[in-house]
Amino acid sequence: MAALQLLMMVPALGSFLFTFGTGVELVRFVSFRALFLQPGTGPAQHRTDAAPHLQWEAALRDPKILRPLMVDVGLIVLFILQHSLMATQQVKHWTRSCFGVLQRSFYVFCTALTLQVGVSIWGTKMGGED
């Protein structure tokens, strides 16, 4: 029985380490993003190609604004869906039957994975790649 409990600690510890790494990545992403947008060019520059007083209708027709806005909304929806789906009784029952005491570790791992995907896509988009 003690061996089984020790064996269960391995995936729980892996989930903890992945989640900790995600937290570190999120803090780095939020805190230092302006400094690391373009290495060697200094802090982020203001865009000069956008008109100063665009109306919302014109702005939402501009693909340079609409595409990043849709990506942002999609990433937020992905995070909300992950949380909402994993909060349903069916998913809780399934994870409890599959993972037992590791149910919470599985939930935290999935949350961290969703956050990693969001940060990596958002980071790529902010880095200026098209």
Side-chain angles (χ1 to χ4, degrees):
M1 189 65 162
L4 181 62
Q5 289 177 342
L6 285 175
L7 188 60
M8 295 291 239
M9 287 180 63
V10 172
L13 182 62
S15 176
F16 171 77
L17 292 174
F18 184 73
T19 303
F20 183 80
T22 300
V24 169
E25 179 66 22
L26 182 63
V27 168
R28 186 193 67 77
F29 173 77
V30 171
S31 301
F32 302 115
R33 197 70 194 152
L35 297 175
F36 297 123
L37 279 177
Q38 303 267 340
T41 61
Q45 301 291 323
H46 291 289
R47 284 184 56 173
T48 58
D49 61 340
H53 300 302
L54 285 177
Q55 298 295 326
W56 274 105
E57 291 178 18
L60 291 177
R61 281 189 233 123
D62 184 2
K64 290 182 179 179
I65 295 173
L66 187 58
R67 185 175 180 274
L69 180 64
M70 298 315 299
V71 170
D72 292 348
V73 169
L75 291 172
I76 292 169
V77 167
L78 174 68
F79 194 76
I80 291 170
L81 281 177
Q82 183 270 329
H83 274 67
S84 297
L85 283 174
M86 294 201 76
T88 63
Q89 289 301 320
Q90 295 88 356
V91 174
K92 285 182 181 179
H93 178 69
W94 176 77
T95 56
R96 193 176 308 117
S97 66
C98 290
F99 298 103
V101 296
L102 296 174
Q103 174 189 14
R104 192 69 183 163
S105 293
F106 180 71
Y107 171 80
V108 170
F109 178 82
C110 289
T111 300
L113 183 62
T114 304
L115 193 57
Q116 283 279 353
V117 167
V119 166
S120 68
I121 291 173
W122 211 309
T124 301
K125 184 179 65 121
M126 285 181 65
E129 295 178 18
D130 289 327

